[in-house]
Amino acid sequence: MSSEKPQAVLREDYCPPDYWIDSADLSFDLGEEETQVRARLEIFRREDLIGDSPPLILVGEELECLEVRLDGEVLPAHRYRVADDELRIDSPPERFQLETRVRIKPHENTALSGLYRTSGNFCTQCEAMGFRRITYFLDRPDVMARFSTTITADKASCPVMLSNGNRVEAEDLGGGRHRVRWEDPFPKPSYLFALVAGDLRAHRGSFKTSGGREVALEIWVEPQNIDKCEHALASLQRAMAWDERVFGLEYDLDIYMIVAVNDFNMGAMENKGLNVFNSKYVLALPSTATDADYEGIERVIGHEYFHNWTGNRVTCRDWFQLTLKEGLTVFRDQQFGADMSSAAVTRIEDVKILRAAQFAEDSGPMSHPIRPDSYISMDNFYTSTVYNKGAEVIRMYHTLLGAEGFRRGMDLYFERHDGAAVTCDDFRDAMATAGERDLSQFGRWYSQAGTPLVEAEGSFDSEAGCYSLTLKQSFPEPDQSATREIPRQALHIPVAMGLLNSSGEDLTVRLEGESAPGETQTRVLELTQSQQTFIFTGLSQAPIPSLLRGFSAPVRFKMERSREELAFLMGRDSDSFSRWDAGQQLALDLLLDLAKTSARGEAMALDPLYAEAFGRILADPSLDGSLKALALTLPSEKVLGQEMEVVDPDALFAAREFMRKALAQTHCDALREIYSRGVERAIDENEQDAIHQRRLKNCALAYWMTLGGEDALEAAATQLERAENMTDTEAALVVLADTVSEARDRGLSDCYDRWSEDPLLLDKWFAIQAGSRRPDTFERVLELADHPAFSLKNPNRMRSLVGTFCSANPVHFNRADGAGYRFLADMVIQLDSMNPQAAARMVSIFNPWRRFDSGRKALLKQEIERVGGQHGLSKDVFEIVTRALADQSD
Ligand code: BES
Ligand code: ZN
């Protein structure tokens, strides 16, 4: 990076390019020491510029330019200029062929963007701006070209050579070299280009589309992993069938390939016809992957597949529109997940992620609208806001328009924009037109940052038989993203709700102004003003409102309620999400009280109301094991911290540990009973039931372990020894890792021996220790950072230790002496020189620093400043650190 201050790119500065690229014919000569790339580009000037001849400016990074030809003739040096990461040609003709040859060094590429090496193989990652590290190009998503790719390499080290589209030629060149040619018939932006070459095996399958086309499916992995692909293949087949059934969308090429690689910054990438995946989202056997891993694989495979229509066929005009493809595709993978397993469990888990990650992001220095207004490094904006809040915004269209209206909107979106690069406004317009709705106010969801607060207040008039519900919306936190002072305006918020009678039954009620009661028990109120009152008529007794059912909008929701009322809803609400949420709200109130008690040094006590409700959940036959486990799990310290004026990690830890233990004491027999029943019934059931069983059983084990008895310890040790699946193995090792015991030492060392050949299992081994509650965890983490199997170069390994400790172990990371903060800063500084994208993600862990007490704040600030003062800092880390330190009006 140069020493100049990195510049921000603004959304309002968007201009179409002066030139377009029709086709890109690429030729790669792959070698051990270097790779040469020849690009033949058919370029033409923008129609409305005819007469005028602006310079052609192609971007390129870390390229050594060897030759430039224009229409076949070598360009003399004075006709072009290579400088500042660009290739510039003054006054080129209206239409011409440009040919460049560059040299690149994949083996030196530790940033994992562009062409790099992983486990000896070649692999590319081009989103968002990695293609410019391969060749000079108009590397922006609105430039869509037809690509063809020729690859030449050694037969011995690269028997397999893949790229987008169809393989049209293969040739043996003699001398140990060979060549293939791939052609992609669909125009695409450069970020969807991919090339993979190396020693790989394919697990093959096929899919017959509803239109009758046979599609070849290939999952490419290192030879030793060939037996771990069945679940990925089956997930892909389910995703293909689901997208046909629910959205009428068929796959469009004759082949779909997925490659699993060990070194990858993200989860996976939707390159046209050739997805590249982090191996953790492909490889699975019951003995190596947990139920959660299996589910993750299905979701990510679905997600990348769904991008073929929402992202690839219709793509983004510019990177500020990222949520157009990501928010929509996350929504699609959420719906897919809900249809494949349990809708209620899926919804609860998706909301947990939103609240833990996105709400936190939105109340800190990285707060931004789902369609950001500026960036320094686009890679920093693949955020929970763009993804998860973006998916909630799509869900709100679905709620407002209904499933059928939403489907009509999607159909119209594809009808209008197939093959084009478009904006979020284009999507909203398709929804408005097809749904015959005015969605102009809804557009504010795209431009306003921050989590809205919705407050509800109800009152019952027994004489009139009327219940009136007043809803208010506001933004209590200052707008951290605003460069200009524009006050945020009221949003269009769908509030799904129902009213219950005193025995917990749903009432069908009439809203004032309606001629008949609503047909469904859940109805959607539309809150469009800062304050609105809704009146329900014809009631004989005071109802109990159930609000924001299914989490119908990404808002914080507050209502003054008694603990009795929350306990009532926790046991009775017909909406599974709201039932779970009432329990979480109740636990949260109690835990925050307990934390205060603990901070004062006073004795804590368990609220009998919650203890009783907990017992009823344990015994409730209507709940499946997964829903039970979710209801029995207390809110995380991260979520609790968001509700405190000043976060007190020690008090939160103490309160949560106290409550877990007190609940276990109260329900000791029931928990033990659930555990032994789970052990007995582990095998002979269908897959979903077995998953529910394991989840509940392992939840019971974790509670039981808090009591510190020998019996629980022995049960965990036995489970670790006998487990036949990774779900049980991991659950046992996790609870043992919290203990100071011989069983823990033995368990960890046995697992190391068994797992040391499998990188994904070693990741688990590191993560389990980094997440431990044991008092000496930090010292252990320092040791592990020096372990021969640890490496900062591999993102999965780095995240398993540094990421887990610093973001999933708040009590230890936030040690009062600041040693945890120093550790993170040290890691970020080392990592930044190799992999800026990954370093920027890690340094973001510091973002909530202003929410801590003055002692911790000072220590945090010092470490953030130390990172920021590093010589040669990447623009990625620079952007995060600058925002974190920016002055605030508080
Ligand atoms: N397009 C992204 C992958 C990506 C993001 C590559 C940023 C490069 C930079 C892909 O579709 C994606 O969103 N992947 C997610 C997983 C998904 C299930 C949300 C990821 O990688 O985390
Ligand atoms: Zn995506």
Side-chain angles (χ1 to χ4, degrees):
M1 217 197 85
S2 71
S3 53
E4 290 157 51
K5 221 175 116 207
Q7 289 296 306
V9 182
L10 305 184
R11 179 166 69 87
E12 62 190 19
D13 288 347
Y14 174 82
C15 277
D18 291 340
Y19 292 88
W20 300 102
I21 303 177
D22 240 350
S23 65
D25 185 34
L26 308 177
S27 192
F28 290 79
D29 200 335
L30 303 177
E32 278 308 308
E33 292 306 313
E34 63 168 62
T35 284
Q36 289 204 15
V37 186
R38 195 212 61 209
R40 259 190 211 133
L41 311 177
E42 299 294 336
I43 302 182
F44 63 98
R45 201 183 296 154
R46 209 173 79 206
E47 289 76 359
D48 54 319
L49 290 178
I50 285 178
D52 190 10
S53 178
L56 170 73
I57 300 171
L58 303 180
V59 290
E61 283 175 14
E62 316 255 305
L63 308 175
E64 184 188 341
C65 184
L66 302 174
E67 187 178 79
V68 181
R69 288 170 182 262
L70 201 149
D71 288 331
E73 301 290 322
V74 176
L75 265 196
H78 71 272
R79 288 284 316 278
Y80 69 94
R81 210 166 61 108
V82 172
D84 298 337
D85 294 342
E86 63 179 52
L87 166 64
R88 183 192 171 104
I89 297 169
D90 286 312
S91 45
E94 232 173 85
R95 183 175 270 279
F96 57 101
Q97 184 191 71
L98 186 76
E99 184 178 318
T100 61
R101 263 196 318 116
V102 301
R103 187 178 2 243
I104 53 179
K105 300 256 171 82
H107 61 284
E108 289 175 7
N109 182 351
T110 53
L112 313 184
S113 161
L115 180 64
Y116 64 95
R117 306 207 59 171
T118 166
S119 308
N121 299 322
F122 290 88
C123 166
T124 57
Q125 170 55 40
C126 295
E127 189 177 4
M129 301 183 188
F131 191 74
R132 63 191 63 192
R133 295 162 59 89
I134 295 175
T135 192
Y136 289 104
F137 207 74
L138 292 172
D139 189 15
R140 42 186 291 168
D142 53 353
V143 172
M144 297 173 81
R146 267 175 303 106
F147 281 75
S148 49
T149 311
T150 302
I151 312 170
T152 307
D154 278 344
K155 275 160 72 177
S157 59
C158 293
V160 174
M161 301 184 286
L162 312 173
S163 191
N164 317 86
N166 305 305
R167 201 177 79 157
V168 293
E169 273 172 46
E171 188 185 354
D172 193 321
L173 300 174
R177 303 281 286 173
H178 65 160
R179 168 182 296 168
V180 293
R181 183 176 164 81
W182 291 81
E183 285 178 3
D184 182 356
F186 292 95
K188 64 169 178 288
S190 51
Y191 83 87
L192 290 173
F193 169 79
L195 175 154
V196 170
D199 185 12
L200 298 161
R201 289 297 124 85
H203 179 76
R204 292 170 204 272
S206 68
F207 182 83
K208 191 164 184 168
T209 68
S210 51
R213 242 165 3 86
E214 202 63 39
V215 181
L217 309 179
E218 302 179 350
I219 318 268
W220 291 91
V221 297
E222 292 177 89
Q224 71 271 21
N225 291 326
I226 196 69
D227 61 334
K228 298 200 183 83
C229 302
E230 190 45 46
H231 177 64
L233 178 64
S235 298
L236 177 58
Q237 288 162 329
R238 285 193 289 272
M240 295 177 87
W242 185 86
D243 217 12
E244 290 187 351
R245 180 163 63 75
V246 178
F247 286 105
L249 297 171
E250 262 183 52
Y251 187 61
D252 53 9
L253 282 166
D254 297 331
I255 180 167
Y256 192 92
M257 296 173 282
I258 289 175
V259 183
V261 300
N262 292 324
D263 302 273
F264 200 71
N265 274 337
M266 302 287 292
M269 178 64 211
E270 70 266 26
N271 316 303
K272 184 79 186 190
L274 178 57
N275 290 183
V276 175
F277 270 59
N278 187 321
S279 56
K280 80 182 209 152
Y281 290 116
V282 175
L283 307 178
L285 282 177
S287 60
T288 63
T290 62
D291 296 335
D293 294 332
Y294 270 76
E295 225 177 85
I297 290 169
E298 181 171 73
R299 283 286 280 276
V300 180
I301 294 250
H303 179 97
E304 306 311 336
Y305 174 73
F306 302 143
H307 268 315
N308 191 54
W309 279 95
T310 51
N312 302 4
R313 292 286 291 249
V314 183
T315 195
C316 300
R317 187 194 70 173
D318 56 77
W319 289 118
F320 296 104
Q321 316 297 326
L322 181 63
T323 198
L324 172 76
K325 76 174 177 82
E326 293 302 347
L328 177 54
T329 304
V330 170
F331 172 73
R332 276 151 56 67
D333 85 52
Q334 290 179 348
Q335 297 295 84
F336 171 59
D339 284 355
M340 292 302 112
S341 50
S342 148
V345 171
T346 304
R347 186 63 188 138
I348 291 168
E349 282 171 345
D350 290 336
V351 174
K352 277 175 84 167
I353 293 171
L354 184 85
R355 284 185 177 153
Q358 201 278 326
F359 281 16
E361 182 168 83
D362 231 351
S363 63
M366 267 299 284
S367 176
H368 55 277
I370 63 167
R371 183 188 57 202
D373 290 311
S374 82
Y375 63 77
I376 290 176
S377 168
M378 186 53 210
D379 291 321
N380 286 333
F381 285 83
Y382 286 75
T383 58
S384 185
T385 298
V386 167
Y387 274 67
N388 304 106
K389 186 177 178 181
E392 295 301 322
V393 170
I394 302 294
R395 183 177 297 275
M396 288 191 285
Y397 288 110
H398 192 271
T399 304
L400 290 169
L401 269 53
E404 281 159 33
F406 185 80
R407 171 63 196 272
R408 280 198 304 278
M410 290 290 281
D411 290 349
L412 184 60
Y413 174 64
F414 294 120
E415 192 186 308
R416 285 180 175 175
H417 305 298
D418 187 14
V422 305
T423 66
C424 299
D425 287 334
D426 293 321
F427 183 84
R428 183 164 53 92
D429 194 74
M431 284 291 155
T433 305
E436 298 176 10
R437 294 279 320 237
D438 178 356
L439 294 176
S440 43
Q441 184 184 1
F442 191 83
R444 291 178 189 158
W445 280 107
Y446 288 90
S447 50
Q448 297 189 168
T451 309
L453 173 68
V454 173
E455 291 166 290
E457 218 181 296
S459 69
F460 182 63
D461 177 342
S462 52
E463 239 150 74
C466 282
Y467 178 73
S468 51
L469 179 70
T470 299
L471 299 176
K472 278 189 219 168
Q473 58 167 312
S474 61
F475 289 91
E477 289 170 333
D479 187 349
Q480 318 221 22
S481 81
T483 40
R484 305 150 294 184
E485 281 301 309
I486 305 170
R488 283 168 292 187
Q489 296 170 291
L491 293 163
H492 187 167
I493 303 176
V495 180
M497 54 85 64
L499 297 178
L500 308 181
N501 67 17
S502 56
S503 21
E505 291 152 351
D506 274 307
L507 300 166
T508 37
V509 287
R510 194 160 70 87
L511 201 52
E512 199 179 56
E514 287 175 348
S515 52
E519 275 170 25
T520 49
Q521 291 149 344
T522 294
R523 63 163 74 226
V524 178
L525 306 178
E526 296 190 23
L527 176 61
T528 54
Q529 286 144 42
S530 358
Q531 177 167 337
Q532 250 165 290
T533 299
F534 300 87
I535 297 168
F536 300 89
T537 60
L539 293 159
S540 54
Q541 48 165 272
I544 297 148
S546 157
L547 298 164
L548 208 70
R549 282 185 161 176
F551 198 69
S552 61
V555 301
R556 284 182 205 275
F557 188 83
K558 293 253 141 61
M559 181 168 198
E560 283 296 325
R561 286 196 196 263
S562 65
R563 288 180 176 169
E564 284 71 19
E565 200 165 294
L566 285 173
F568 174 87
L569 289 170
M570 175 181 177
R572 300 241 168 64
D573 202 323
S574 64
D575 182 89
S576 307
F577 170 81
S578 295
R579 207 179 152 181
W580 169 81
D581 203 28
Q584 294 292 298
Q585 184 63 53
L586 180 55
L588 186 133
D589 289 351
L590 297 170
L591 282 163
L592 292 175
D593 276 358
L594 287 175
K596 280 186 211 142
T597 312
S598 161
R600 287 194 302 264
E602 291 166 14
M604 296 182 269
L606 177 63
D607 182 286
L609 183 73
Y610 188 79
E612 210 178 285
F614 187 95
R616 271 200 303 275
I617 299 276
L618 276 177
D620 188 337
S622 77
L623 289 172
D624 66 47
S626 297
L627 278 176
K628 262 191 202 182
L630 283 167
L632 299 174
T633 304
L634 301 177
S636 68
E637 285 149 78
K638 238 189 203 155
V639 165
L640 293 166
Q642 291 179 21
E643 303 298 321
M644 290 184 102
E645 196 66 46
V646 175
V647 185
D648 183 343
D650 298 314
L652 286 176
F653 180 77
R656 201 167 177 279
E657 289 303 286
F658 166 81
M659 191 150 159
R660 275 162 29 93
K661 192 166 174 178
L663 287 165
Q665 265 156 355
T666 314
H667 298 289
C668 171
D669 293 339
L671 288 164
R672 236 189 324 232
E673 150 93 21
I674 286 176
Y675 182 75
S676 14
R677 229 185 309 139
V679 172
E680 283 158 26
R681 286 177 46 186
I683 320 160
D684 58 355
E685 289 171 89
N686 82 45
E687 202 38 36
Q688 272 304 319
D689 288 346
I691 291 170
H692 293 322
Q693 271 300 321
R694 282 195 284 271
R695 206 160 168 174
L696 180 59
K697 175 192 70 183
N698 290 324
C699 171
L701 175 63
Y703 271 106
W704 187 16
M705 284 291 286
T706 63
L707 300 178
E710 277 301 317
D711 51 350
L713 193 65
E714 203 179 304
T718 308
Q719 175 166 326
L720 182 62
E721 248 164 61
R722 303 213 180 133
E724 284 168 8
N725 60 76
M726 184 47 67
T727 306
D728 286 345
T729 305
E730 190 191 71
L733 195 56
V734 165
V735 295
L736 286 172
D738 287 341
T739 68
V740 179
S741 68
E742 207 250 309
R744 174 255 181 209
D745 299 347
R746 194 162 17 91
L748 280 170
S749 92
D750 285 356
C751 286
Y752 184 79
D753 295 339
R754 294 207 311 258
W755 296 355
S756 59
E757 296 306 311
D758 183 332
L760 296 176
L761 294 182
L762 268 187
D763 290 340
K764 290 187 191 295
W765 189 79
F766 277 94
I768 288 168
Q769 296 177 74
S772 166
R773 295 180 173 89
R774 262 171 71 121
D776 63 352
T777 295
F778 179 61
E779 288 69 28
R780 181 64 187 147
V781 166
L782 291 181
E783 273 172 39
L784 288 171
D786 280 328
H787 192 283
F790 182 72
S791 163
L792 279 179
K793 284 209 174 108
N794 176 261
N796 287 1
R797 190 61 46 81
M798 184 277 295
R799 283 188 287 256
S800 70
L801 183 68
V802 185
T804 307
F805 178 72
C806 301
S807 85
N809 203 339
V811 71
H812 290 314
F813 172 62
N814 294 295
R815 293 159 60 101
D817 67 0
Y821 307 149
R822 205 174 327 124
F823 170 73
L824 177 56
D826 287 342
M827 293 293 135
V828 166
I829 290 166
Q830 277 187 58
L831 187 56
D832 193 38
S833 59
M834 308 186 259
N835 188 337
Q837 260 184 61
R841 282 186 181 266
M842 284 299 121
V843 83
S844 308
I845 296 172
F846 283 133
N847 278 348
W849 69 278
R850 283 181 205 268
R851 304 191 33 83
F852 289 87
D853 56 274
S854 57
R856 287 189 173 89
K857 246 199 291 209
L859 293 163
L860 279 157
K861 184 157 185 247
Q862 187 183 320
E863 294 304 326
I864 302 170
E865 283 172 346
R866 181 158 70 91
V867 173
Q870 288 300 305
H871 187 71
L873 199 67
S874 68
K875 65 173 181 170
D876 308 63
V877 171
F878 171 87
E879 180 170 37
I880 305 290
V881 164
T882 311
R883 287 177 76 127
L885 294 174
D887 274 334
Q888 274 193 322
S889 46
D890 65 353

